């Protein structure tokens, strides 16, 4: 599985689904954003300082690793995935780079759970979603035109959660992203 959007120079922005400003009019703000640094192992010692490059690379890895570790410790609760994708699409930071290829690498159980819609309460089928949401809903108008997305699905041990993590759930998100104009990459 290729993660080519982690290539040198690409801007990586980390967004969190249960961030307090998920419903902000300005869209979400990334928890952190950094460009992927050059690989210090391939440094040209005549014109580059491998030690400085390694320090920059380690800072990049440590920053993201630290945030991801903290997120894994966070208790489960609401997971406003739909709201997050709308917020990211509407965020100033995301729109500011509109001429660049956008990629979303999503680490989630993919179980939507918020006041607006819940896979736990209304089911995981796209039809159920369409029947429970007004046709004018912002979720049907999310614009992720040509954004490449890749999902790393966290499989849950809890029987209630794992019972929902079916092909129908995958089909739900495929339909959502397709309607938003996003381009699928491999699910992991």
């Amino acid at each position: 599985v290729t993660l080519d959007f982690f290539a040198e120079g690409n801007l990586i922005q980390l967004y969190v689904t249960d961030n307090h400003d998920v419903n902000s009019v300005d869209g979400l703000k990334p928890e952190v954003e950094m460009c992927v640094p050059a690989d210090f192992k391939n440094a040209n010692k005549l014109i580059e300082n491998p030690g400085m490059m390694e320090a920059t690379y380690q800072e990049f890895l440590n920053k993201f690793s630290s945030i991801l570790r903290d997120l894994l410790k966070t208790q489960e609760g609401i997971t406003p995935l739909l709201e997050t994708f709308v917020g990211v699409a509407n965020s100033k930071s995301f729109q500011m780079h509109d001429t660049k290829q956008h990629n979303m690498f999503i680490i989630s159980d993919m179980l939507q759970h918020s006041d607006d819609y819940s896979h736990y309460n209304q089911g995981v089928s796209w039809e159920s979603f369409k029947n429970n949401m007004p046709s004018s809903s912002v979720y049907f108008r999310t614009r992720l035109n040509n954004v490449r997305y890749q999902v790393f699905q966290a499989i849950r041990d809890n029987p209630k959660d794992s019972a929902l993590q079916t092909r129908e759930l995958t089909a739900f998100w495929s339909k959502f992203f397709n309607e938003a104009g996003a381009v699928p990459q491999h699910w992991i």
Side-chain angles (χ1 to χ4, degrees), residues 3-154:
L3 301 177
D4 62 344
F5 44 82
F6 286 102
E8 177 184 329
N10 284 355
L11 176 66
I12 305 293
Q13 298 175 319
L14 179 64
Y15 294 88
V16 179
T17 57
D18 51 17
N19 192 318
H20 60 76
D21 51 29
V22 74
N23 293 316
S24 167
V25 228
D26 294 329
L28 283 175
K29 293 178 179 67
E31 292 290 312
V32 66
E33 60 182 348
M34 294 176 76
C35 288
V36 178
D39 186 349
F40 62 92
K41 295 174 190 159
N42 299 327
N44 179 339
K45 293 178 184 173
L46 295 174
I47 58 172
E48 297 173 314
N49 182 331
M52 285 180 66
M53 290 173 70
E54 182 176 8
T56 302
Y57 195 81
Q58 288 304 320
E59 177 189 353
F60 172 82
L61 291 177
N62 291 340
K63 181 88 121 174
F64 280 98
S65 296
S66 170
I67 290 173
L68 289 173
R69 263 192 311 276
D70 290 346
L71 288 174
L72 291 173
K73 294 176 191 172
T74 304
Q75 291 288 7
E76 297 174 33
I78 64 163
T79 32
L81 295 171
L82 291 165
E83 294 85 345
T84 299
F85 298 135
V86 169
V88 168
N90 292 334
S91 72
K92 289 178 186 174
S93 182
F94 199 74
Q95 292 177 6
M96 189 168 50
H97 306 285
D98 62 340
T99 61
K100 301 289 183 187
Q101 172 64 54
H102 284 75
N103 304 285
M104 294 176 73
F105 183 66
I106 304 157
I107 303 171
S108 171
D109 60 14
M110 299 309 287
L111 293 170
Q112 163 71 24
H113 183 57
S114 71
D115 291 340
D116 286 348
Y117 189 80
S118 172
H119 285 135
Y120 295 97
N121 301 329
Q122 285 106 355
V124 297
S125 80
W126 185 256
E127 287 306 312
S128 173
F129 178 66
K130 281 178 47 177
N131 293 337
N132 282 286
M133 299 300 290
S135 60
S136 62
S137 170
V138 68
Y139 305 126
F140 295 116
R141 293 179 286 134
T142 306
R143 292 293 149 238
L144 295 169
N145 297 330
N146 297 314
V147 172
R148 295 184 308 171
Y149 73 95
Q150 187 166 27
V151 176
F152 180 88
Q153 188 174 18

